[in-house]
């Protein structure tokens, strides 16, 4: 059986097509550069500087992925065996894996039903004398309640790590995603708002000392310019020079790409808000604290909505079909009998619709019409 490609794909196949000549040129330029430096060279430094200045951060450290960025931050904070870090029960595997990888225990907090982000009240109830850090994550198109988390961690004397892997470009109350916590991260894997054709990420921080530690840890505990002297056990989490040059080239177009995603999301939300009574609930309306990486509705009958859209050639995506503690990998960290009802509900009901910047107005309208058409036929 041959499966035909959807008319409206979830991931655009031509994501980097417009940049192809530039990318090929950069492969050649870096490849033939007499310096012959393919990682952590002047292009990586320039990209870090660009982000640091743009964000107003104390430091930005480029590394090999968003996952690696989380691991580096936790290690730089000295988190390890015997410690607990509170993470959302609904989200991506690196949230729990990064914590477990340090030897610490991920403790799962339930989420808020409307935003699908970690619930500050549920988080506070889980704080023990072993808790060292709280690590909320921004989810799909909505930033976590960072003012509450900042207040809560300040009051309890805990580290605040912001998993802003999906939220580059998001701003909440004037503070960019990533800078609410002591450290945040961005992922550059292709589908992210500032994605690239390869693996990469950054740590962003307000704390220069933390940035310095992360910088050392990303390259086997060595300080810049001092090779084969290891001050700490680190990782190989270095950044690629071709990708750094490519990100520099593409960065000026980032605000426009983000604005297009925001425009599409606002249109969807306007069209879908009246559907709540018919079993399709959009994310909360608004622009503040939004990131537009993924646009996910909560659908009472997700399977039927997804099948309906597929019939019309519209691809959709289910990101997290079960809460993190329900995976065998993380079950050892789930206290016996514990439940996360809102995370279970979100895992059961969320459905992501295409929201990338290459969608045409006609495609966006088509998606909205088909979702509304589905809901109209529901009780
Ligand atoms: C919330 C969140 N955190 C961390 C990551 C890890 O980023 P990466 O895929 O670059 O390792 C992702 C990636 O999808 C993510 O969605």
């Amino acid at each position: 059986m041959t499966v035909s490609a959807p008319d409206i794909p979830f991931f655009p196949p031509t994501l980097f097509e417009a940049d192809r000549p530039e990318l090929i040129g950069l492969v050649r330029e870096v490849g033939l550069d007499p310096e012959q430096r393919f990682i952590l060279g002047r292009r990586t430094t320039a990209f870090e500087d660009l982000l640091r200045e743009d964000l107003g951060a104390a430091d930005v450290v480029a590394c090999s992925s968003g996952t690696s960025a989380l691991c580096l931050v936790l290690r730089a904070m000295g988190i390890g065996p015997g410690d607990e870090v509170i993470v959302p029960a609904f989200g991506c595997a690196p949230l729990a894996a990064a914590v477990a990888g340090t030897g610490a225990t991920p403790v799962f907090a339930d989420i808020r039903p409307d935003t699908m982000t970690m619930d500050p009240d549920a988080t506070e109830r889980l704080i023990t004398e072993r808790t060292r850090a709280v690590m909320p994550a921004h989810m799909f198109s909505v930033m976590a309640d960072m003012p509450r988390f900042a207040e809560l961690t300040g009051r309890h004397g805990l580290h605040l790590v912001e998993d802003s892997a999906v939220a580059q470009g998001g701003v909440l109350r004037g503070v960019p995603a990533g800078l609410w916590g002591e450290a945040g991260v961005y992922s550059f894997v292709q589908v992210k708002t500032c994605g690239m054709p390869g693996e990469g990420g950054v740590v962003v921080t307000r704390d220069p000392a933390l940035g310095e530690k992360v910088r050392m840890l990303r390259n086997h505990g060595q300080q810049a310019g001092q090779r084969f002297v290891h001050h700490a056990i680190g990782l190989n989490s270095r950044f690629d020079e071709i990708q750094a040059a490519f990100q520099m080239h593409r960065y000026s177009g980032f605000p426009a790409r983000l604005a297009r995603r925001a425009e599409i999301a606002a249109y969807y939300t306007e069209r879908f808000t009246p559907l709540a009574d018919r079993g399709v609930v959009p994310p909360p309306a608004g622009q503040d604290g939004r990131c537009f990486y993924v646009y996910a509705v909560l659908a009472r009958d997700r399977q039927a909505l997804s099948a309906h859209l597929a019939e019309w050639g519209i691809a959709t995506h289910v990101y997290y079909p079960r809460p993190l503690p329900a995976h065998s990998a993380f079950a050892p960290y789930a206290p016996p009998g514990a439940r996360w009802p809102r995370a279970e509900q979100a895992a059961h009901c969320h459905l992501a619709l295409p929201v990338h910047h290459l969608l045409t107005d006609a495609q966006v309208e088509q998606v909205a019409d088909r979702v509304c058409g589905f809901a109209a036929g529901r009780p």
Side-chain angles (χ1 to χ4, degrees):
M1 191 180 85
T2 54
V3 179
S4 56
D7 300 332
I8 305 183
F10 190 80
F11 298 113
T14 54
L15 190 55
F16 301 113
E17 189 57 21
D19 306 285
R20 184 154 55 124
E22 185 71 27
L23 182 57
I24 292 168
L26 289 172
V27 171
R28 194 176 162 78
E29 183 192 303
V30 176
L32 295 178
D33 191 325
E35 230 183 357
Q36 289 295 286
R37 183 139 192 193
F38 302 114
I39 47 150
L40 298 189
R42 62 190 156 82
R43 295 171 183 87
T44 301
T45 305
F47 178 47
E48 290 173 337
D49 289 347
L50 174 71
L51 285 181
R52 182 172 46 72
E53 279 162 28
D54 197 26
L55 290 165
D59 205 353
V60 171
V61 184
C63 60
S64 61
S65 67
T67 304
S68 191
L70 290 177
C71 297
L72 289 166
V73 168
L74 294 170
R75 278 184 181 226
M77 288 176 167
I79 287 166
D83 297 333
E84 292 176 354
V85 178
I86 304 178
V87 300
F90 180 68
C92 65
L95 275 164
V99 175
T102 66
T105 301
V107 174
F108 297 104
D110 209 351
I111 57 170
R112 283 181 36 177
D114 52 347
T115 60
M116 294 185 257
T117 57
M118 191 157 85
D119 181 348
D121 294 327
T123 302
E124 190 153 18
R125 288 195 290 273
L126 292 168
I127 293 172
T128 69
E129 70 283 355
R130 291 172 63 193
T131 308
R132 291 281 310 285
V134 168
M135 189 157 85
H138 307 314
M139 182 59 59
F140 302 142
S141 64
V142 188
M143 286 174 64
D145 188 348
M146 295 313 295
R148 283 285 313 279
F149 284 114
E151 182 279 322
L152 182 158
T153 49
R155 190 157 35 83
H156 289 273
L158 302 172
H159 291 298
L160 178 57
V161 181
E162 189 179 350
D163 185 347
S164 42
V166 306
Q168 188 174 3
V171 177
L172 172 63
R173 295 194 195 169
V175 179
L179 291 185
W180 274 95
E182 287 155 74
V185 306
Y186 301 144
S187 162
F188 300 141
V189 79
Q190 79 221 44
V191 293
K192 298 294 192 295
T193 52
C194 198
M196 62 188 200
E199 292 277 13
V202 282
V203 172
V204 302
T205 181
R206 296 183 270 117
D207 177 352
L210 187 73
E212 205 43 55
K213 270 192 204 158
V214 167
R215 196 173 291 284
M216 189 174 72
L217 291 173
R218 80 169 161 185
N219 193 9
H220 291 302
Q222 300 166 101
Q223 269 165 356
Q226 218 193 4
R227 288 188 71 194
F228 306 122
V229 179
H230 304 275
H231 300 278
I233 298 174
L235 305 170
N236 172 2
S237 182
R238 302 180 293 229
F239 198 74
D240 183 284
E241 282 287 280
I242 296 171
Q243 300 287 6
F246 185 70
Q247 287 297 69
M248 298 272 290
H249 147 71
R250 235 170 154 251
Y251 199 67
S252 59
F254 180 42
R257 293 194 297 274
L258 206 58
R260 175 63 181 154
R261 284 170 176 267
E263 184 182 39
I264 297 169
Y267 177 74
Y268 283 161
T269 299
E270 192 189 317
R271 295 282 310 270
F272 302 158
T273 298
L275 309 184
D277 292 344
R278 291 178 175 266
V280 178
V281 181
Q287 294 287 325
D288 194 38
R290 297 295 187 271
C291 42
F292 310 115
Y293 156 58
V294 160
Y295 187 93
V297 296
L298 290 166
R300 200 188 301 142
D301 192 347
R302 172 172 72 196
Q303 180 62 32
L305 175 57
S306 165
H308 173 82
L309 294 176
E311 263 174 43
W312 288 100
I314 299 166
T316 56
H317 203 66
V318 172
Y319 273 82
Y320 310 119
R322 54 175 78 172
L324 283 171
H327 290 271
S328 52
F330 306 119
Y333 302 103
R339 296 288 302 270
W340 295 267
R342 290 161 168 185
E344 283 161 25
Q345 175 78 358
H348 194 65
C349 295
H350 77 281
L351 186 70
L353 308 175
V355 74
H356 59 80
H357 68 282
L358 295 177
L359 291 170
T360 63
D361 285 352
Q363 288 176 316
V364 172
E365 208 176 313
Q366 158 94 334
V367 173
D369 286 350
R370 297 306 170 205
V371 172
C372 293
F374 170 84
R378 299 266 130 182

